[in-house]
Amino acid sequence: MTFTDKPNGLQQSLDRESLLHRIIKQIRRSLDLQEILTSTVSQVRLFLGADRVKVYRFDADGSGEVIAESIHEQSLPSLLGLRFPVHDIPQEAREMFLLAQQRSIVDVANGKIGLSPLQSKETGKRLETNIYYRQVDPCHIKYLKAMGVQSSLVVPILHCDLQEQSAKPKLWGLLVSHHSEPRKILKRELKVLQQVADQVAIAIAQSNLLTEAHAKQEREATINRVTTLLHKLPTIQLQGALEEVITALNGVGGRLYIEESRKLYTWGDQPTLPYELDNSIIEQHPMWQSWMAEFQQGNIWATVDLYKEPCLRVLALAFRSTQIRGLMVIPLHYREKFIGVLSIFRSEFETEVLWAGRSEQNRRQLLPQLSFEVWREQKKGQAPEWKPEDMSLAQALYDHFSMAIQQQQMYKQVQALNTNLELRVQEQTAELEKSLLLTKLLKQVTEQIRRTLDLQTTLQTIVREVRPLLNSDRVLILQLKSKSVIVEEINGNWQSVLGVNPPPECFPDEYTRLYCQGRVRAINNVSTASLTDCHREFLQSLQVQANLIVPINIGIELWGLLIAHECEAPRIWQDAEIDLLQQLGDQAAIAIQQAQLYEQTCNAEIEARNQAAQLKHTLHELQETQTRLIHTEKMSGLGQLVAGIAHEINNPVNFIYGNLCHASDYTEQLLEILSLYQRHYPHPHSEINAAIEAIDFEFLVEDLPKIMTSMQVGTERIRSIVLSLRNFSRLDEAENKRVDLHEGINNTLLILQHRLKGNAEFPRIEVIKDYGNIPRVECYAGQMNQVFMNIFSNAIDALMMGNGEFGVPFRDKGQWGMGNSGSPLAIRGNGDKGNKLYPKPTIHISTKVSADNSHLLIRISDNGPGMTEEVKKRVFDPFYTTKPVGKGTGLGLAISYQIIVEKHGGIMECISEPGKGTEFWIEIPIKPPAKIVSQS
């Protein structure tokens, strides 16, 4: 189907206006939507001259149905009443139909589709009537060919709810034109079809409003009829109201059950409980009553298939003999009190759906649908769906039935009260006064019980407050877990039963089960009551003549028994006394549960604190492990780096060093030959004289041996540094062995020599060595070198970054002299106020053996700014540093502390004060203990 814009003059315009006029007239003349759609497709087909025009409506599940159709002389097969599966129209196409109101024109012969969006998908603004051609999906071509269609035109029909101002349009359906031969479409024809679709949308909205208005009117009429029947006092027509409700909700039966009178009203089909369920009325069955207890006030329950509901699994047997499948249950309440239930039944039926071709449930859109033969899908056991308007009607009737039943009950109660009003008033007054007194007493006891959360105090308070209320001789609490009396309160000289255990044979497990179910036992006279001989003898041994027992249940568990004893004489327990003790038992259960929860909370708090301490300890161990891992990785990388650099430097240095002696000999020999030439040929050629003058031959002869000598000194210096690096890394030696720690200290200082030298910004740092006569020490040499490196580096940093002491840029403004501090050397700074002397930066190293020859003592100190007490306390903590960001990691001293203390079983301490420098005291055993050695 191609698109053209060649109008046929005035006739085209007249036809268009005539078509719109006929459709609008039909919409205004009839409010029946089907009649409007049937007339519309007929008029549009005549206007376009098409073979088929249809209206395709989308259902809630996404499938579609042809609901109106017009065909020219049966040129194409009819699709009226047939349904199409969801995947026949892709989701992408549906979205474009909705968002852009996109029209599509398919030319099957040329395999092209023209897309004409009515408004922009991005901005939502209305566009000019343009069309964009592209190749159509071959699957779509096959689909249309299977229908016998050579050209098609599709215009979306949108619907918007007029009652909702902010409602967004929805894709209601499609207006489709089919032709069995190629067909050209005029631009004005496309415009007319869009106007027709807009008029159809208006007709849909009007039809929906009319339908809703009729439904609302019918619902209000039903409510009025039911209300009239329910409020005709004194003869309330509950049976008639029930029949009206069943009819209004399209039910086949129903029933109304009144809880207080246990009366049942029925109409239509009814369920019948089988004999084995042992109930003649379904509403009186325990499972039904338990189900009703779960409903809150105002809740309405409905299902289309009661056999699929788990809550009706047993009660569904009552419906097997009927055709009932749909069920609506309306529990009736008045001020949260359950007063009855209204049930509506709907019968099952069979449905038949006509599909355009066989529709598979799990079919994927892999191939186009090639057959549109009618396929009949039958469904059995269906029930009409409960629509929102049904639920709304049920909700509206809920209040009327509840109020009417309550009014009827109140009316009967008023009639009953009028028979003997004065007597009833006196009795109720007495009951109210007694109830008020008991309530006040109960409140006092409850407040007294809940003043404490201690379990023992709570239990003692219960028996102490309960005994005077009942005016009994003894009140006690028997705990089931310990099977003994745990608290008691006695009035008089009666014997104590505290700690007494009742004989097990007198109290079988059956008693426990009954008390757990809420049993209350009142024994007015122990001598005449129906008791076992064992039970009677036990009570008489406790001097009990009458007793009252109520359970203390916490949840579904029997915690214990609250017991009142009368020892003076038999006693008839009154209902009010039994009720009072029962309420006190409930309050005791709450108080005991609160006390237990409080005790559990205290225990949980203690456990949480213990866990926090354990977590803190674990965190500390994790930090130490992390520090060790970082140290190990750092030492491994540093050792490998140092060893590699030393090896790489050592090879060329050895080559140079080995050849320098030969180069020196050769140079001396050449100079001797030159001297011989000068002696035997004192008058060389003029060109040679010119060259001698140009190169300053005499200076060259004099300076060349000096150069060779300085080169030899330099290579020896490099060899010494390389040897120090190798000794520092210790990668070529065993990890734990006897070493000379002086050598490790010297090697470390040699590596740090570049930092010890002075420069224009800072003077040279003096290193004073006070070495003692120490033996070789068995240790981890590489790790000890790391300790020295960390301490020396921190000392240098402290001297260079002192707070005002060595932060002054001296340059050439200062001079060396004697300081007032007693230091042999000092720096005089002229750049500061006055002529102040600063002590020279110094690092002092001291080693010696302890008095018992078991430990080696190493002291390394500096005359830097020192540390505050706060810093000194945390100096060995991992990741703690006082250096600026990027200057330190806070791991050096922490690693050093672990190496000395954990690896070598030694001691490492820091001695420092602000303004008095810092000293690190290291003490390690000359031969480490076996435990330390085994860690390697």
Side-chain angles (χ1 to χ4, degrees), residues 517-528:
Q517 293 176 354
R519 174 192 187 187
V520 176
R521 190 170 191 183
I523 300 175
N524 298 328
N525 192 334
V526 171
S527 301
T528 60

Side-chain angles (χ1 to χ4, degrees), residues 490-683:
I490 301 175
N491 179 32
N493 297 322
W494 307 107
Q495 72 181 52
S496 173
V497 296
L498 198 63
V500 171
N501 298 90
E505 61 273 12
C506 298
F507 297 92
D509 294 339
E510 179 66 17
Y511 283 17
T512 302
R513 185 181 66 81
L514 292 174
Y515 283 125
C516 188
Q517 293 176 354
R519 174 192 187 187
V520 176
R521 190 170 191 183
I523 300 175
N524 298 328
N525 192 334
V526 171
S527 301
T528 60
S530 177
L531 301 172
T532 62
D533 294 338
C534 175
H535 193 180
R536 182 178 290 104
E537 291 175 1
F538 173 70
L539 291 177
Q540 289 176 348
S541 67
L542 303 180
Q543 302 172 306
V544 177
Q545 304 252 4
N547 72 341
L548 178 61
I549 307 171
V550 297
I552 301 176
N553 287 319
I554 298 179
I556 60 174
E557 180 184 357
L558 178 63
W559 184 90
L561 300 173
L562 177 60
I563 306 173
H565 284 168
E566 192 67 26
C567 302
E568 184 71 31
R571 174 175 178 175
I572 299 176
W573 301 101
Q574 303 298 321
D575 291 340
E577 296 173 338
I578 297 173
D579 184 61
L580 174 63
L581 191 63
Q582 192 171 7
Q583 293 185 53
L584 290 172
D586 296 338
Q587 293 297 324
I590 297 173
I592 292 170
Q593 189 174 20
Q594 289 179 344
Q596 289 179 341
L597 290 175
Y598 176 71
E599 184 177 357
Q600 293 173 3
T601 303
C602 294
N603 294 335
E605 181 181 3
I606 295 173
E607 184 179 354
R609 289 179 180 175
N610 294 336
Q611 289 180 354
Q614 181 66 27
L615 288 174
K616 183 177 181 182
H617 177 69
T618 303
L619 178 61
H620 179 69
E621 290 182 347
L622 287 174
Q623 288 179 338
E624 291 183 349
T625 302
Q626 185 182 25
T627 303
R628 285 196 294 270
L629 289 174
I630 295 173
H631 161 65
T632 301
E633 185 65 24
K634 182 176 180 181
M635 285 300 298
S636 175
L638 178 61
Q640 292 177 5
L641 177 63
V642 170
I645 294 173
H647 177 72
E648 293 298 327
I649 295 175
N650 195 44
N651 289 336
V653 167
N654 285 340
F655 174 78
I656 296 171
Y657 182 77
N659 288 292
L660 274 177
C661 58
H662 301 296
S664 180
D665 293 341
Y666 297 159
T667 301
E668 291 179 1
Q669 292 172 7
L670 290 174
L671 291 177
E672 288 178 1
I673 291 174
L674 289 175
S675 178
L676 290 174
Y677 267 99
Q678 285 180 336
R679 190 165 40 238
H680 294 290
Y681 299 99
H683 303 290

